[in-house]
Every structure is written in structure tokens, then in C-alpha cells.
Amino acid sequence: MPTIAIRSAWIFSLSSPPIANAWLVAKDGLIEFIGRELPERFQTVPRWELPNTALLPGLINAHCHLEFSDMTAPIEFTGSFITWIQSVVRHRSSANPTDLEAQRQKAIEQGIRESYLQGTRVLLDTITAPWSPSWIPAPGSLMKEAIGDIPPIVSDALIGDAEWYLLPIPEVLDINPSRGEATRKFAQEVHEQIDALSLTDDAIGASGCLIKRVAVSPHSPYTASLELFRACCDASHECGALVAPHLAESQEEIAWLSSRAEPIESALAPFRDSAFGLRKASIEEYLDAVLHSAKGIIAHANYLDDILLSKISQRSPLVAIAHCPRTYRHFHPDSSSQNYPMAERLRNHVSHVLGTDSRASNPDLSIWREMQTLLRYPGLTGNQILEMGTRSSAELLGLDSLGSLEVGKRSLCTAILLAEPLAEHDLSRSLLADENRAFPLEILMSRAWQQIV
Ligand SMILES: [Zn+2]
């Protein structure tokens, strides 16, 4: 059985305190040992020493839209959220219909590649048509592309079945009957395609790099009716699916829900049918629907009051808010990012996971950079930030073999290249310093390998 031992300056397992100069032994993609002294039985296995490196569980991006990954810069926010959304929709529809599929596939591949190279191991991707499971790169291919000839011991012992995973979340909306019909059909087709895949990875529940789970994203209250939200969430309650809507993202959305206020009211007019316009529901009714689902990830939830937040806390950790720090900053340029009350919300037991959102609002897709951004939020501990980028998402999704580094779990590590030794008095915050960069562990090992050779 292929086995390797890796010594790193630090291991942050997320299940016990960080260990300095620690060994991680991996065999067939699973962790065999973590600790300070390498046991006698592993003394003869190949060893790697990574002195300027800290190991973390693989990072998880709990909210993104890879279809926009070909954008070179975020779309400017000029003060109106719905105006920004209209620009995003224009970008999506600007593609030439004859090469839409090729362009979409390229953007998704680009987003996956970029995410992997920055140390992200799991992506929850909100998808729209066209989309195909055949577009998702095969296990090992990104690793080979990045490293070239991989020492077989690295791929066999450390990586196992796949070096990253993706959960596709089809978006549904019913702003008018034809969009309702088309998106419902799309979601059904995606679920059938995913269902038809045969499992290759029992521990993750994945087929190749695709996580074989049912998930759906009713887009948002201004494009999806309460009835559609309830239908998705009732189905989730029955079958355990993940429901991942956008909710309370902007004050414009809150104002439109309560009084059909501008500018959303006029912006929707050309697209919605009259029946959609008449179906009024409150933010609380939308939230109650999501809270009925088996698992929920609510993207943004920036503008919920304490009563609604306390409802979310009662479903913790199976319903969480996906916060996207740099996207939040994109839409709040005048106030500092410190205005998102993350510490207070965590203190009140409102679970949070982290996402990047898309390159329409973010300069890149690095979850590590999102975690580093959180360092500027007041009152957060480094450990809270590390958990939101790893363990919290894994627990919510029931990905039991990911989220922390423990014997028997997968050895898919994100490696942090340390610019300086960590400050012993505040290890986690020191780990998150701006100069420290995240990679898949195998890439740093490959560099170490090449240096040794
Ligand atoms: Zn989003």
C-alpha cells in the first residue's frame, strides 16, 4: 500500500490544537497518523519535509458561480444592486449562441482550475443552463496539469480518488412561466444526470470529481415565488437535499419585498408575468420556507433582523449563512467590511460558511483570501475563521471524511506557505497573515520533490 510521511512546520487539524513540527502519514488517500513523533512502523516509508508550511484541511467554497470565471475584473457597483444584476445578466447573454456552450465550459474549467491552484478542495457551484457533467475535469487531470509528472507515491498515497470535488446546484426561478418551465426542466435534468453517475468514492459520495447529492438554488425572492421556495424546501425536507438560495442580499430586495419599491419593481417589469407580481410574501415567510429544508445554505443574508437570525440559529449547523467577504466589500464600498456583524452573529450561534460568489463581484476565487479578509473583521478569532473555511461546511453537507485532519479521514490538505514563522501567542491569526499563500499540498510537495531530485 502506497504510504508517505510528511513533516510540516505546523498542522492545524481543526479537531485538536495546532501541532508544531508534526508528521502526517497518508496511505491510499487516508490519514494514518498525525503527531509529533513518527512511530516506528512508519520509519521506512518515503518522507517529505516542508519546513515553511502549515497544513490545513482542504478549504471549502460554499457559494460560487463558476460560469462567470472568465471575467477579468468585477462589474462595477454604482450604488444600485439591481443595476449591477442587470449588468451581470447582460454579460451572460452577450455570448454568441453558437459558442455559448464552449464558452461556458471554458469559464467553468477556468474557475475550477483557479480554485484548485489556490488550495480550494470543494466547490459548491450554483449552475444555470447550459451545463454538463462531462465538462467537469477528470480526477487527477488538474493535478497533472499543475505538476506535470507526479511522483506516483504522491498521487496514490496522498490524493486517493480525486484531488478536488464539486457539488452542482442548479438554479430555479419562476419570474415568468417560460423561465419557470425552463429552469425546472434544467434542474430535473441535472439531478437525473447526477443520479445516473456511479459512485467511485464512497467516503465522499462522489463520482469522479462530482459530489453525488441533490441540491437546488431557488434564486432569490425577486425572481422566485414563495411557492417555488416552499416546493424546493418541502422536497428537501423529504429527501435531504441541500437548498441554497440568495436571501436578504440587498436593502433594495428588502424594500421591494415589503412595498414593491423601486428600483427593483421597474427592473423586473419587462421579465415578470402579472401573476408573479401579485404574489406578495414577506422575507420571514421566505426564510421560514428555507428553515424547513433538511440542509440550507443562505447566500449573504446581510439584512436580517435579530428575530430572523435567531430562527436561523435554531437550525444551526444544518442551516447556515454563506458570507462572501470581498463580495460584501464590493457592495459596501463606503462602509468598511467591519460593518458585517460576523462576531455578534457567531456569538448568537448563527452558523456561517464562506463563499467567494463569482468573479462578477470578486477579483478571484480564493477562499483563502476570503479568510484573510475576515481577519479585518472585529472580534473574530483565527479559529473561527479557519472553521468557517473548512469544518463548518463539511459538517453541514455531511462530508464526514473532509473538514478536519484526523486518522481515517481523507488526506486532502491545503498547504499554507509561510512567509515567516508563526507567532506562538496567536497561531491562527498569524497563519492568516496576508503574506501567507495557499496551495494544494501536492503542489508544494512536488516542488520539494523537484528540489530533492
Ligand atoms: Zn451568489
Side-chain angles (χ1 to χ4, degrees):
M1 292 282 200
T3 308
I4 48 171
I6 300 152
R7 182 152 71 175
S8 174
W10 288 95
I11 294 181
F12 289 74
S13 69
L14 274 286
S15 65
S16 55
I19 317 172
N21 291 317
W23 288 96
L24 180 144
V25 177
K27 180 170 144 187
D28 276 345
L30 299 175
I31 297 170
E32 281 278 305
F33 171 81
I34 291 179
R36 281 293 286 271
E37 304 297 331
L38 191 64
E40 184 65 34
R41 66 185 189 278
F42 299 122
Q43 292 291 340
T44 56
V45 307
R47 298 186 202 184
W48 268 256
E49 304 255 352
L50 299 169
N52 306 317
T53 304
L55 302 188
L56 276 174
L59 305 184
I60 300 178
N61 186 345
H63 180 70
C64 63
H65 306 254
L66 294 178
E67 65 176 88
F68 300 112
S69 302
D70 55 348
M71 295 180 71
T72 50
I75 293 174
E76 194 187 352
F77 174 64
T78 55
S80 165
F81 179 75
I82 199 71
T83 304
W84 178 86
I85 287 270
Q86 287 170 314
S87 304
V88 175
V89 172
R90 267 198 301 279
H91 171 86
R92 184 191 273 158
S93 49
S94 66
N96 185 338
T98 54
D99 53 29
L100 174 62
E101 294 208 359
Q103 188 180 328
R104 181 68 65 88
Q105 178 177 1
K106 199 166 153 227
I108 290 172
E109 280 176 2
Q110 209 169 312
I112 292 171
R113 183 180 298 111
E114 177 187 331
S115 301
Y116 167 70
L117 292 175
Q118 293 174 332
T120 302
R121 296 292 195 179
V122 180
L123 290 154
L124 275 60
D125 184 21
T126 307
I127 60 171
T128 63
W131 185 89
S132 167
S134 67
W135 295 352
I136 304 305
S141 61
L142 289 191
M143 181 166 58
K144 187 163 172 43
E145 183 186 298
I147 305 175
D149 286 328
I150 310 155
I153 190 75
V154 173
S155 52
D156 296 344
L158 186 68
I159 302 304
D161 292 319
E163 73 274 40
W164 59 275
Y165 293 92
L166 183 138
L167 175 62
I169 310 176
E171 181 179 283
V172 291
L173 43 88
D174 61 354
I175 189 166
N176 61 50
S178 75
R179 294 289 290 143
E181 175 68 17
T183 56
R184 203 165 38 242
K185 188 160 167 274
F186 170 65
Q188 199 175 346
E189 280 168 7
V190 169
H191 292 152
E192 282 166 8
Q193 286 168 324
I194 298 291
D195 193 47
L197 299 169
S198 46
L199 279 185
T200 52
D201 184 337
D202 288 333
I204 311 269
S207 175
C209 292
L210 282 168
I211 297 173
K212 195 177 164 180
R213 299 274 173 87
V214 179
V216 67
S217 171
H219 174 247
S220 76
Y222 53 89
T223 53
S225 66
L226 179 61
E227 289 74 12
L228 182 59
F229 263 67
R230 282 181 174 157
C232 294
C233 300
D234 289 350
S236 154
H237 187 77
E238 297 299 318
C239 73
L242 172 71
V243 178
H246 297 82
L247 202 66
E249 185 171 6
S250 69
Q251 281 168 326
E252 288 175 16
E253 174 193 331
I254 300 294
W256 181 79
L257 273 174
S258 63
S259 63
R260 292 295 186 257
E262 298 293 356
I264 291 190
E265 181 64 4
S266 296
L268 296 183
F271 307 102
R272 64 146 185 250
D273 70 329
S274 52
F276 184 85
L278 292 172
R279 289 178 187 158
K280 281 197 177 181
S282 68
I283 189 78
E284 185 164 14
E285 287 173 296
Y286 275 99
L287 180 65
D288 285 345
V290 179
L291 294 173
H292 185 61
S293 58
K295 295 171 193 288
I297 293 183
I298 304 169
H300 311 300
N302 295 326
Y303 300 102
L304 293 180
D305 63 26
D306 289 346
I307 293 170
L308 300 188
L309 288 167
S310 94
K311 285 187 166 191
I312 298 179
S313 72
Q314 287 160 25
R315 286 297 319 278
S316 172
L318 293 177
V319 176
I321 292 172
H323 180 63
C324 306
R326 288 178 299 168
T327 290
Y328 185 84
R329 198 166 62 188
H330 186 70
F331 294 114
H332 300 81
D334 298 328
S335 56
S336 72
S337 59
Q338 297 175 355
N339 286 349
Y340 184 86
M342 176 72 90
E344 186 189 335
R345 288 182 171 196
L346 291 178
R347 213 167 30 247
N348 292 328
H349 309 289
V350 180
S351 284
H352 280 71
V353 292
L354 297 181
T356 56
D357 225 340
S358 77
R359 290 198 64 159
S361 58
N362 203 336
D364 60 56
L365 297 172
S366 167
I367 273 294
W368 180 244
R369 290 281 177 231
E370 302 295 345
M371 294 162 76
Q372 290 176 314
T373 303
L374 286 182
L375 212 52
R376 295 170 181 80
Y377 285 29
L380 286 187
T381 67
N383 280 345
Q384 285 175 318
I385 299 172
L386 295 182
E387 280 185 10
M388 286 187 278
T390 56
R391 209 174 72 181
S392 305
S393 289
E395 283 178 359
L396 189 157
L397 293 164
L399 297 173
D400 299 336
S401 61
L402 299 173
S404 61
L405 301 177
E406 297 175 63
V407 171
K409 292 197 172 197
R410 288 287 299 272
S411 46
L412 285 183
C413 301
T414 294
I416 309 301
L417 190 58
L418 303 173
E420 289 180 13
L422 297 186
E424 299 268 352
H425 65 280
D426 197 353
L427 288 171
S428 312
R429 289 183 69 86
S430 161
L431 174 70
L432 288 156
D434 281 348
E435 308 73 47
N436 297 338
R437 296 172 60 202
F439 297 92
L441 170 57
E442 58 273 21
I443 287 193
L444 290 192
M445 286 177 65
S446 144
R447 287 181 187 168
W449 168 267
Q450 284 156 10
Q451 283 160 11
I452 290 165
V453 172

